[in-house]
Amino acid sequence: LTVATASVYLIARFSPFTQLQRTLLAFGYFNLYEYAVISRSYALGVFFVFLFCSLYGRYQTQLAAGNMAWNALILPFGVLGLLANTSVYGLFLSGALSIALLWPLTRQRLSVGWFWGGMGWLWLSWLTCYLQIKRVDSSFSVGSLPGVRMVNDAPTWRLPTERVLDTGAHVWRSYVPIPEFWRDAFWGGNALLDSHHLPAIAELQVGKILAFLLSLVLVSAVVRVLWYRPKWLCVYAAGTVVHLLFSYFFFGGFLRHHGHLFILLVACLWLANTDDSTGSLSQPADRVSMTWSKLREAQTWLDPLSSQWQKSFLTGLLSCQVLAGVMAYSTDFSQPFSASRMTADYLRSHQLDHLTILGYRDRQAATLSGYLSKQIYYPNRQAFGSFWELEQDIPQAELVTQIQAFVSRSEQPVVLALTEALEQPIPNLTLQPLATLKGKVVVDETFYLYLASPPGLEFNL
């Protein structure tokens, strides 16, 4: 709550947008719901992006005036270093926004210590982030990337083409995140991409094709908006391209990941307006900037950033974000997002929370550990834990074998919290079904509860 509120404060206090746009941005889907309520781990990265935008105006003013106030000049580097270590998507944003700090190198040589000290901090932060990522999987090879395997191993053209369409549609998914709210499981979806009413063309969903084309239209509109701001056009292009390449080759991701594309857009428009207000384009020092500046002076009516068209474009996107955010937040009150809390409450109310809990699958069952403040046993890992690492599914026959082995060694009954119903009895164990608690928004966080007793032990609820 503190981090999300701080981000809204930065928007309200420092952003150059209109009062309407600030309000819409504060109550948009990502600031109001996704990063403030659900995927809260990304809220810190969003805060650092907006903090960088808030600091950049003073940085640009000090640099243009030749004043070497180290605190105003070094802080943006520090913020980008912290941003890089919030998530891999924070790393992408940090790298893209650093182009703005390096941009003076295209016009003058900087030999002052604060600049190279800031760059040293930034490179060290990126290295630290890389080492954290590297320790997760040290078996990296180009041929093992999902996107490369799909291109090389796909028997037909359809799968690689569908992956291209899915990746390109991330822009639409991020800018216009309106899901199918008439369905319970609305979270992370998109009304156009997930529509089952549209036909297919050559085995490709029309919704995906339309979303891909609309993404091209949106990107073209942003390029048009930033056309006279080469710095921010480079920042936008670099951040967007790297994000999409990562999505294609490494990890397709979900809406909470693709939302960083929208955060990048907001940052670029914010900083482009900041550049204009500080007069950074009034004294260009290179031929390209001089040419573009003269075009702006001679044909200001062509400049979309200062026109009503640009304001309408941004206000339209922000309005869609608010619509999605308000509907998602209101739905969260009427429908249980997950069955995890209900399951934990059930175990407490029936005085079963003191028993050993065996949970499968890891990702869903780990939530019970948080609510009950105790470790649970993961049969696929054959170990106790309080969080999940890499999800490893096992066939139900093996799951039954692991349950039988674990419960047989126990001296008391064991609560089974499973995300799938048992389709066969467990030999030599007394198995008592307890309840089925279903999630509405996140359907796969549905729990089937059983009480498994070892041989010769009687237990009555």
Side-chain angles (χ1 to χ4, degrees):
L1 178 62
T2 301
V3 173
T5 304
S7 297
V8 172
Y9 168 77
L10 293 175
I11 294 171
R13 176 67 178 81
F14 298 106
S15 71
F17 305 125
T18 65
Q19 187 65 41
L20 174 61
Q21 291 171 341
R22 293 177 187 179
T23 304
L24 294 176
L25 181 57
F27 292 96
Y29 176 81
F30 295 106
N31 284 324
L32 177 68
Y33 183 70
E34 187 69 44
Y35 296 149
V37 178
I38 305 300
S39 306
R40 297 187 297 273
S41 58
Y42 294 112
L44 192 59
V46 175
F47 168 76
F48 283 134
V49 170
F50 293 158
L51 181 59
F52 173 82
C53 294
S54 304
L55 295 172
Y56 182 80
R58 189 180 177 195
Y59 169 88
Q60 187 69 21
T61 302
Q62 294 279 334
L63 194 64
N67 298 327
M68 297 304 173
W70 70 270
N71 55 341
L73 298 172
I74 203 71
L75 281 177
F77 291 92
V79 170
L80 289 188
L82 296 174
L83 170 62
N85 284 274
T86 58
S87 70
V88 67
Y89 299 98
L91 174 63
F92 299 156
L93 291 174
S94 174
L97 292 172
S98 69
I99 295 175
L101 301 181
L102 294 173
W103 196 261
L105 293 178
T106 64
R107 300 193 287 184
Q108 57 183 334
R109 292 185 177 181
L110 296 179
S111 58
V112 290
W114 64 261
F115 181 84
W116 296 111
M119 286 306 304
W121 161 259
L122 201 51
W123 292 331
L124 179 62
S125 301
W126 292 343
L127 176 62
T128 303
C129 181
Y130 169 77
L131 293 176
Q132 293 183 77
I133 296 173
K134 186 66 175 177
R135 67 187 176 92
V136 176
D137 183 10
S138 58
S139 60
F140 169 78
S141 65
V142 175
S144 65
L145 298 181
V148 175
R149 291 202 310 269
M150 181 169 291
V151 172
N152 294 336
D153 302 336
T156 64
W157 57 270
R158 187 181 68 82
L159 290 179
T161 303
E162 189 172 14
R163 190 174 182 89
V164 170
L165 293 176
D166 284 336
T167 303
H170 293 341
V171 175
W172 170 262
R173 190 190 301 271
S174 172
Y175 290 7
V176 189
I178 299 179
E180 297 177 291
F181 285 105
W182 50 91
R183 298 175 58 234
D184 289 338
F186 72 90
W187 179 58
N190 187 274
L192 178 60
L193 281 163
D194 301 327
S195 176
H196 301 288
H197 304 291
L198 296 175
I201 299 177
E203 301 183 358
L204 297 174
Q205 292 295 324
V206 171
K208 291 183 178 181
I209 298 175
L210 291 176
F212 178 83
L213 296 177
L214 289 171
S215 295
L216 294 179
V217 172
L218 289 173
V219 170
S220 300
V222 176
V223 170
R224 181 71 178 88
V225 167
L226 299 175
W227 184 252
Y228 293 105
R229 282 86 184 164
K231 181 198 306 182
W232 303 115
L233 183 59
C234 289
V235 170
Y236 174 77
T240 302
V241 169
V242 170
H243 183 108
L244 295 180
L245 288 176
F246 180 82
S247 296
Y248 182 86
F249 286 106
F250 284 90
F251 174 62
F254 302 95
L255 180 58
R256 58 187 179 274
H257 308 120
H258 309 319
H260 292 84
L261 290 170
F262 177 74
I263 300 300
L264 174 65
L265 169 65
V266 171
C268 288
L269 295 179
W270 180 331
L271 294 167
N273 277 280
T274 300
D275 261 2
D276 280 358
S277 62
T278 57
S280 64
L281 292 179
S282 60
Q283 295 179 342
D286 59 80
R287 183 170 299 178
V288 174
S289 296
M290 290 179 65
T291 302
W292 286 3
S293 182
K294 290 179 180 179
L295 285 174
R296 291 183 66 227
E297 294 175 359
Q299 301 176 347
T300 54
W301 60 275
L302 287 176
D303 186 359
L305 193 61
S306 59
S307 69
Q308 187 62 38
W309 181 88
Q310 183 270 341
K311 295 179 181 178
S312 300
F313 170 72
L314 179 58
T315 303
L317 289 183
L318 294 178
S319 299
C320 293
Q321 294 276 335
V322 168
L323 175 64
V326 171
M327 295 184 72
Y329 203 88
S330 59
T331 304
D332 208 36
F333 281 100
S334 59
Q335 299 288 355
F337 188 83
S338 162
S340 302
R341 177 178 291 179
M342 292 188 297
T343 303
D345 291 341
Y346 177 91
L347 295 176
R348 289 195 194 97
S349 63
H350 289 76
Q351 299 181 351
L352 296 170
D353 54 314
H354 68 282
L355 297 176
T356 301
I357 299 175
L358 181 149
Y360 178 79
R361 295 179 174 87
D362 303 29
R363 175 172 59 82
Q364 294 90 333
T367 58
L368 299 179
S369 175
Y371 279 120
L372 299 174
S373 300
K374 62 183 296 182
Q375 291 193 336
I376 60 178
Y377 183 80
Y378 298 119
N380 53 328
R381 285 193 281 160
Q382 301 180 33
F384 281 89
S386 57
F387 58 92
W388 71 284
E389 296 175 350
L390 296 177
E391 197 168 26
Q392 300 173 345
D393 290 347
I394 57 177
Q396 187 166 117
E398 183 178 348
L399 174 62
V400 168
T401 301
Q402 294 296 335
I403 292 175
Q404 181 185 23
F406 178 77
V407 177
S408 297
R409 298 192 302 266
S410 178
E411 298 179 354
Q412 59 179 348
V414 175
V415 175
L416 308 182
L418 311 178
T419 57
E420 59 185 35
L422 289 174
E423 299 175 353
Q424 54 184 301
I426 302 179
N428 302 322
L429 295 183
T430 302
L431 196 64
Q432 182 178 354
L434 297 176
T436 299
L437 301 166
K438 295 184 177 181
K440 290 289 187 179
V441 178
V442 182
V443 180
D444 64 355
E445 290 191 11
T446 292
F447 288 96
Y448 299 85
L449 298 181
Y450 301 87
L451 188 66
S453 302
L457 179 64
E458 297 293 334
F459 185 86
N460 296 319
L461 291 178

